[in-house]
Amino acid sequence: PKPLPSSGPKSLREMPHPLATSSSEEMGPALTPSPDLLLPRSIADKDLSLPNGTPVDTSSPASSSSLLNRLQLDDDLDVETRDLFVTVDDPKKHVCTMETYITYRVTTKTTRAEFDLPEYSVRRRYQDFDWLRNKLEESQPTHLIPPLPEKFVVKGVVDRFSEEFVETRRKALDKFLKRITDHPVLSFNEHFSIFLTAKDLNAYKKQGMALLSKMGESVKYVTGGYKLRSRPLEFAAIGDYLDTFSLKLGTIDRIAQRIIKEQLEYLVELREYGPVYSTWGGLEVELSEPLEGMSACIGNCCTALEELSEDMTEDFLPVLREYILYAESMKNVLKKRDQVQAEYEAKLEAVALKREDRPKVPTDVEKCQDRVECFNADLKADMERWQNNKRQDFRQLLMGMADKNIQYYEKVCVT
């Protein structure tokens, strides 16, 4: 899925809820926000400000195009503006004395000047992707970093070297890199460039913790005993939204897994049920034709049900899991923002307690205020980008699954 071109930061009141529906109108190209997660107008329209009284602009520039037009023009805009393309393919199994692992080929094509060559091809394993994500979190603490597929699987349930599992993971890793590639800030990160071009990452992995990561640890230390007064209304609403979204999506995920489990159990019964009619037909010459027809019909149902279960396992469940992890990543960024705001409030109180006449605010306090404003702007921009991606992904996912179910019933329908 390709992200929509951003129209600027938007308040939460303008962001649509992913599970919202309308009972009075048919589903259209635009979605409406969920009433239970909207801010009251009297609050949403209120000017937000930092603890020192500095106003925070939460308005968004007017857009001349509707969501439908933006969707229609997205492909053309994307082709014109993109200058970096990354794909993950060709998984290979490596068997060594100490371990067995899978590597993936990462191919990069670009016209950016900061790259020495127009094309690169390197092999990476899962822990290399994990290194990249950790480095992005260290160096870009104000931004939402896309989640990786979960590393560990339940023993005895999924074979992590099976073709199905490897292909599912390859798709998830490919999407992970494409999310970063489409981001206007993360795609220019130095560590991302190293990941795409370096033949061997071991030298880079041995390097110490980045400066920004150390700064983040110092923030935790400084604010360890300070309790944040309160989140700004907009970010408090984002936190509530993410909690509700995770809860609803987790419920859908559990129900979907139960449905797949019951489908597979039913499939086992069908496979045992069909041959009975073939055996019966061999004993009853007069009834052989209808009995063979019944057996063939059951076999057709088995094939259709197996395809439907595979589609749900390979296409539906991974998207649900990705967005559950995405919500957790957004919550972590929100907590980092709260830590920076708590540091800012602590510094302001420390200055006030000195009771000195100062013609201007100390420099360290101003820098801390800049960090708060940077966090606010980046978090809002990434939230809007995430909402746009989510809207497209879930629209494609749900419409695709509806088509798969229609095809299933067309195949098993007896005319």
Side-chain angles (χ1 to χ4, degrees):
K2 303 169 185 175
L4 291 173
S6 173
S7 61
K10 294 184 179 179
S11 64
L12 186 71
R13 185 163 55 85
E14 296 174 289
M15 296 181 182
H17 190 276
L19 306 178
T21 56
S22 176
S23 58
S24 59
E25 298 180 0
E26 296 182 356
M27 183 180 296
L31 303 177
T32 57
S34 175
D36 60 337
L37 290 178
L38 286 179
L39 291 172
R41 182 170 296 275
S42 59
I43 297 179
D45 292 341
K46 196 183 233 179
D47 291 335
L48 301 179
S49 61
L50 296 173
N52 69 338
T54 304
V56 178
D57 183 15
T58 60
S59 61
S60 61
S63 175
S64 60
S65 60
S66 64
L67 175 61
L68 178 61
N69 291 332
R70 291 169 66 185
L71 283 171
Q72 292 173 337
L73 295 175
D74 180 51
D75 290 339
D76 295 335
L77 291 172
D78 187 70
V79 171
E80 294 176 2
T81 58
R82 289 190 61 182
D83 54 4
L84 181 63
F85 301 86
V86 181
T87 57
V88 178
D89 59 8
D90 190 28
K92 287 185 178 180
K93 184 177 180 180
H94 300 261
V95 180
C96 302
T97 305
M98 300 298 294
E99 63 177 339
T100 300
Y101 59 93
I102 304 293
T103 63
Y104 305 84
R105 181 176 61 188
V106 178
T107 304
T108 304
K109 296 182 179 181
T110 181
T111 57
R112 291 185 180 180
E114 56 266 29
F115 288 89
D116 296 329
L117 300 174
E119 185 172 346
Y120 295 86
S121 179
V122 294
R123 297 204 70 85
R124 298 286 183 254
R125 55 186 298 186
Y126 180 89
Q127 66 180 26
D128 298 331
F129 289 85
D130 190 48
W131 171 86
L132 171 62
R133 190 178 190 282
N134 290 334
K135 285 299 181 181
L136 290 176
E137 282 192 331
E138 290 176 5
S139 57
Q140 309 285 171
T142 64
H143 286 287
L144 171 63
I145 310 301
L148 278 172
E150 293 168 303
K151 181 176 182 179
F152 300 104
V153 294
V154 180
K155 187 176 182 181
V157 176
V158 178
D159 177 10
R160 65 190 184 98
F161 296 114
S162 66
E163 292 184 7
E164 295 79 7
F165 178 81
V166 171
E167 177 60 17
T168 299
R169 171 164 285 186
R170 183 202 65 79
K171 291 179 180 178
L173 295 176
D174 183 74
K175 181 178 287 187
F176 168 72
L177 292 186
K178 282 181 169 56
R179 301 281 198 204
I180 299 174
T181 301
D182 292 338
H183 196 282
V185 177
L186 300 181
S187 64
F188 289 92
N189 185 274
E190 177 186 3
H191 301 293
F192 184 49
S193 176
I194 291 173
F195 176 87
L196 297 178
T197 60
K199 290 296 182 182
D200 185 7
L201 286 179
N202 290 331
Y204 299 98
K205 289 182 178 181
K206 294 177 182 178
Q207 293 179 358
M209 186 169 54
L211 175 62
L212 284 175
S213 178
K214 295 179 181 178
M215 292 173 58
E217 294 297 326
S218 67
V219 170
K220 293 180 183 178
Y221 176 77
V222 170
T223 61
Y226 184 89
K227 184 178 180 181
L228 185 68
R229 293 173 184 172
S230 63
R231 282 175 175 170
L233 295 176
E234 184 172 16
F235 296 106
I238 289 178
D240 294 339
Y241 171 88
L242 292 172
D243 290 338
T244 304
F245 177 73
S246 298
L247 180 63
K248 291 182 180 295
L249 215 58
T251 301
I252 295 175
D253 180 57
R254 289 191 298 272
I255 294 174
Q257 291 191 51
R258 188 170 70 241
I259 290 174
I260 293 174
K261 181 176 179 293
E262 293 176 354
Q263 285 178 340
L264 294 177
E265 292 173 351
Y266 177 52
L267 184 59
V268 172
E269 298 290 339
L270 277 181
R271 285 172 174 167
E272 296 177 356
Y273 186 49
V276 173
Y277 287 93
S278 296
T279 305
W280 186 7
L283 301 175
E284 299 279 355
V285 180
E286 295 82 358
L287 298 176
S288 62
E289 184 175 348
L291 291 175
E292 287 294 338
M294 185 67 179
S295 178
C297 181
I298 295 175
N300 186 43
C301 291
C302 288
T303 303
L305 183 59
E306 185 177 13
E307 293 175 355
L308 182 63
S309 299
E310 289 178 355
D311 289 332
M312 288 193 67
T313 302
E314 297 175 6
D315 298 331
F316 190 77
L317 289 182
V319 176
L320 297 183
R321 291 303 306 160
E322 178 194 12
Y323 274 95
I324 291 174
L325 296 174
Y326 238 135
E328 293 302 317
S329 298
M330 180 64 81
K331 290 179 185 179
N332 290 335
V333 179
L334 201 57
K335 289 178 182 178
K336 293 177 184 177
R337 194 216 73 85
D338 291 346
Q339 290 170 358
V340 174
Q341 181 182 339
E343 180 189 18
Y344 176 48
E345 292 178 357
K347 289 182 180 294
L348 282 179
E349 288 191 1
V351 171
L353 289 174
K354 291 181 179 180
R355 298 181 179 179
E356 298 178 1
D357 295 331
R358 294 176 178 270
K360 58 181 295 186
V361 180
T363 303
D364 60 334
V365 178
E366 290 182 340
K367 289 182 178 179
C368 194
Q369 179 183 348
D370 291 341
R371 293 179 63 193
V372 173
E373 293 176 349
C374 180
F375 249 110
N376 292 346
D378 290 347
L379 183 57
K380 286 165 61 179
D382 281 356
M383 183 68 177
E384 180 192 0
R385 184 176 295 103
W386 181 67
Q387 289 279 17
N388 288 335
N389 287 337
K390 174 169 56 59
R391 188 180 304 115
Q392 293 183 78
D393 287 349
F394 275 91
R395 180 179 181 181
Q396 178 181 355
L397 176 69
L398 297 176
M399 292 181 68
M401 290 309 302
D403 289 339
K404 296 293 184 182
N405 277 273
I406 291 173
Q407 294 170 14
Y408 165 74
Y409 285 105
E410 288 178 344
K411 292 176 180 177
V412 302
C413 180
V414 180
T415 57

